[in-house]
């Protein structure tokens, strides 16, 4: 058997490696607390689960779904975008259902990137932007996200020749892994940049509902002219505790969505219609109160973790968005060394910053997708292991 050469360009998926180490310790009877993967621990809203039960009983949902997504799901996304962001979308042309946003983020690269093309990828970042660029034969150009710039890329630093050759700019705010947030003014600059160089702006809005203390995350489509150059990936996974359901939407530029559709119709056959209809229930009139309840929970967890880690002597700040903390490691450790120390001596899983790119060096990421009790226990164990 000879595997494709492109496989060799891909590093092992980050969490698969961490999982292996974790399982080895668990087999030795160690009680592991995972602050690793960002997967909500709380259940999907009951009325969404009920909607799935009901819709799965309707034989009309048992056949192949519509390629672009059920018209009623696309309409529900458009209605939600008007209510939430004040953004008008044509559900027929400017909304497409996805089997999770990861699927859409991966496939849009195949619709735009030829071998040799450049893609502007934040560093650190969610790995999919980089890995699918590599798989498609493109070259990622990394835009460092630095603390002193609020974890926003400095687009003025991008060489004009590079910008001319770039096909896509990826952005993700609130950000995974840095927990940085963007303003509408920053999105304006990004839209201007993409219009000037004819680049597709792909905004990954996976955490746009997870915000705190009065901060509301904007959609990139709120910027005038964004619809000419931008596609936003809205996922139901994180706000509605639906990571296992695989339901999301790509919204924005219709030409880009048509191109994405060509890849998708030749690859998958859409998401189960009953899941799409359950997605409609999630985006319905109970969405806002559910999201507010969840954010109150994450906010309390932030308080516990920030207090706990501050006691350890770590310089951690409470972010305005996402359910992560991006924590500088103490002097004398690399992020990988500190991650290993926490796993082996405290039984606590965190993710090393370099797992998300070279500029993640010196940080660990902590996910607040765990109960207050376990989070407190994790902080206590870290305190016993490392006192600075
Ligand atoms: C979780 C996550 C996703 C994937 O979400 P799905 O819709 O479940 O595929 C996309 N982007 C970022 C930054 C994420 O953290």
């Amino acid at each position: 058997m000879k595997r494709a050469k492109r496989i060799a360009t891909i590093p092992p998926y980050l969490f698969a490696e961490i999982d292996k180490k974790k399982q080895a310790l668990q087999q030795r009877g160690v009680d592991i607390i995972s602050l690793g993967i960002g997967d909500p621990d709380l259940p999907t809203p009951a009325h969404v689960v009920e909607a799935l039960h009901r819709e799965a009983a309707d034989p009309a949902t048992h056949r192949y779904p519509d390629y672009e997504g059920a018209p009623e799901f696309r309409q529900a996304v458009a209605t939600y975008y008007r209510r939430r962001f004040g953004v008008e979308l044509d559900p027929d042309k400017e909304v497409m259902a996805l089997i999770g946003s990861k699927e859409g983020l991966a496939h849009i690269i195949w619709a735009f990137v030829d071998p040799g093309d450049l893609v502007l990828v934040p560093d650190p970042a969610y790995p999919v932007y980089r890995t699918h660029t590599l798989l498609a034969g493109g070259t990622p150009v990394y835009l460092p996200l630095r603390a002193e710039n609020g974890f926003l890329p400095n687009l003025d630093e991008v060489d004009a020749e590079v910008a001319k050759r770039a096909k896509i700019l990826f952005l993700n705010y609130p950000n995974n892994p840095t927990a940085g947030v963007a303003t509408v003014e920053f999105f304006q600059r990004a839209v201007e940049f993409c219009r000037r160089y004819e680049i597709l702006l792909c905004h990954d809005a996976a955490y746009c509902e997870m915000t705190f203390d009065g901060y509301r995350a904007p959609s990139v489509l709120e910027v005038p002219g964004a619809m000419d150059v931008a596609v936003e990936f809205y996922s139901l996974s994180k706000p509605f505790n639906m990571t296992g359901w695989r339901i999301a939407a790509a919204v924005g530029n219709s030409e880009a969505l048509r191109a994405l559709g060509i890849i998708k119709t030749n690859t998958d056959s859409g998401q189960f219609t009953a899941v799409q209809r359950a997605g409609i229930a999630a985006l319905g009139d109970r969405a806002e109160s559910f999201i507010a309840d969840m954010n109150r929970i994450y906010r309390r967890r932030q308080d516990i973790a920030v207090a706990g880690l501050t006691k350890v002597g770590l310089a951690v700040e409470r972010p305005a968005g996402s359910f992560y903390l991006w924590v500088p490691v103490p002097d004398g450790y690399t992020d990988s060394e500190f991650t290993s120390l926490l796993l082996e001596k405290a039984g606590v899983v965190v993710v090393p910053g370099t797992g998300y790119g070279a500029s993640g060096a010196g940080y660990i990421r902590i996910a607040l997708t765990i109960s207050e009790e376990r989070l407190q226990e994790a902080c206590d164990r870290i305190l016993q292991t490392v006192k600075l």
Side-chain angles (χ1 to χ4, degrees):
M1 246 188 268
K2 290 183 194 128
R3 306 201 298 182
K5 289 190 195 75
R6 75 176 70 88
I7 289 285
T9 66
I10 303 306
Y13 199 67
L14 180 61
F15 292 109
E17 291 298 288
I18 293 170
D19 259 9
K20 242 187 262 166
K21 269 198 190 173
K22 178 179 136 182
Q23 276 164 13
L25 281 166
Q26 274 170 333
Q27 265 158 20
R28 288 180 8 217
V30 180
D31 170 39
I32 300 284
I33 303 178
S34 180
L35 311 178
I37 195 162
D39 186 356
D41 55 314
L42 296 166
T44 306
H47 67 280
V48 178
V49 178
E50 280 156 24
L52 178 66
H53 275 290
R54 194 173 61 241
E55 299 300 340
D58 176 359
T61 68
H62 299 173
R63 313 196 63 187
Y64 281 121
D66 290 301
Y67 277 121
E68 309 79 13
E72 62 271 28
F73 176 73
R74 286 182 284 144
Q75 180 60 61
V77 171
T79 302
Y80 186 76
Y81 255 68
R82 182 188 303 131
R83 185 165 99 226
R84 167 70 175 83
F85 300 110
V87 168
E88 294 294 333
L89 296 168
D90 176 347
D92 292 331
K93 299 194 183 81
E94 294 170 340
V95 181
M96 184 174 283
L98 299 173
I99 310 173
S101 59
K102 187 180 189 178
E103 177 264 296
L105 290 160
H107 280 147
I108 201 145
I109 293 171
W110 291 91
F112 279 85
V113 177
D114 286 314
D117 284 346
L118 304 182
V119 175
L120 302 173
V121 176
D123 170 22
Y126 186 60
V128 173
Y129 322 139
R130 171 184 56 154
T131 51
H132 275 272
T133 297
L134 292 170
L135 287 171
T139 303
V141 175
Y142 298 109
L143 309 181
L145 306 185
R146 304 189 190 96
E148 61 267 28
N149 201 27
F151 300 110
L152 300 171
N154 185 348
L155 297 173
D156 297 333
E157 279 177 4
V158 180
D159 185 271
E161 291 311 308
V162 167
K164 281 180 199 155
R165 286 178 53 208
K167 291 299 217 26
I168 302 178
L169 164 65
F170 279 103
L171 294 175
N172 161 225
Y173 291 98
N175 185 253
N176 176 13
T178 69
V181 296
T183 56
V184 177
E185 293 70 41
F186 170 74
F187 281 152
Q188 263 158 2
R189 288 202 297 279
V191 166
E192 256 166 52
F193 175 86
C194 288
R195 290 174 69 97
R196 185 173 343 131
Y197 293 107
E198 297 181 51
I199 295 171
L200 174 67
L201 198 174
C202 289
H203 181 235
D204 179 349
Y207 298 93
C208 67
E209 310 290 16
M210 259 133 274
T211 57
F212 310 101
D213 302 328
Y215 171 73
R216 263 170 87 79
S219 161
V220 78
L221 299 176
E222 289 174 32
V223 174
M227 203 61 94
D228 296 337
V229 290
V231 171
E232 184 158 83
F233 295 81
Y234 183 91
S235 175
L236 280 73
S237 287
K238 311 289 164 61
F240 302 107
N241 303 333
M242 291 177 75
T243 48
W245 296 57
R246 313 313 303 134
I247 183 75
V251 299
N253 183 267
S254 59
E255 213 181 303
L257 292 188
R258 254 203 317 277
L260 172 60
I262 292 171
I263 303 291
K264 277 179 59 61
T265 50
N266 286 288
T267 308
D268 61 65
S269 296
Q271 178 52 282
F272 184 21
T273 304
V275 168
Q276 294 187 54
R277 291 189 187 165
I280 299 172
L283 295 170
D285 53 12
R286 279 178 269 184
E288 281 81 354
S289 71
F290 183 78
I291 288 166
D293 288 347
M294 290 308 304
N295 285 346
R296 267 190 292 277
I297 292 171
Y298 291 127
R299 180 71 178 72
R300 280 201 301 272
R301 292 177 182 180
Q302 277 186 341
D303 279 342
I304 290 169
V306 169
L309 297 172
T310 302
K311 218 166 163 190
V312 174
L314 297 169
V316 56
E317 283 170 38
R318 209 162 48 70
S322 85
F323 49 46
Y324 299 112
L325 297 178
W326 185 238
V327 186
V329 301
D331 289 340
Y333 294 96
T334 66
D335 50 292
S336 303
E337 287 165 356
F338 196 60
T339 299
S340 297
L341 177 79
L342 295 186
L343 181 55
E344 283 150 24
K345 295 282 168 9
V348 174
V349 176
V350 301
V351 189
T354 44
Y356 298 94
S359 297
Y363 289 89
I364 54 168
R365 193 197 72 176
I366 285 177
L368 302 173
T369 46
I370 192 165
S371 71
E372 291 180 25
E373 208 177 29
R374 292 291 274 172
L375 194 56
Q376 188 60 59
E377 162 87 18
C379 290
D380 294 345
R381 287 197 206 167
I382 294 171
L383 182 63
Q384 282 161 12
T385 308
V386 253
K387 241 180 263 163
L388 301 170

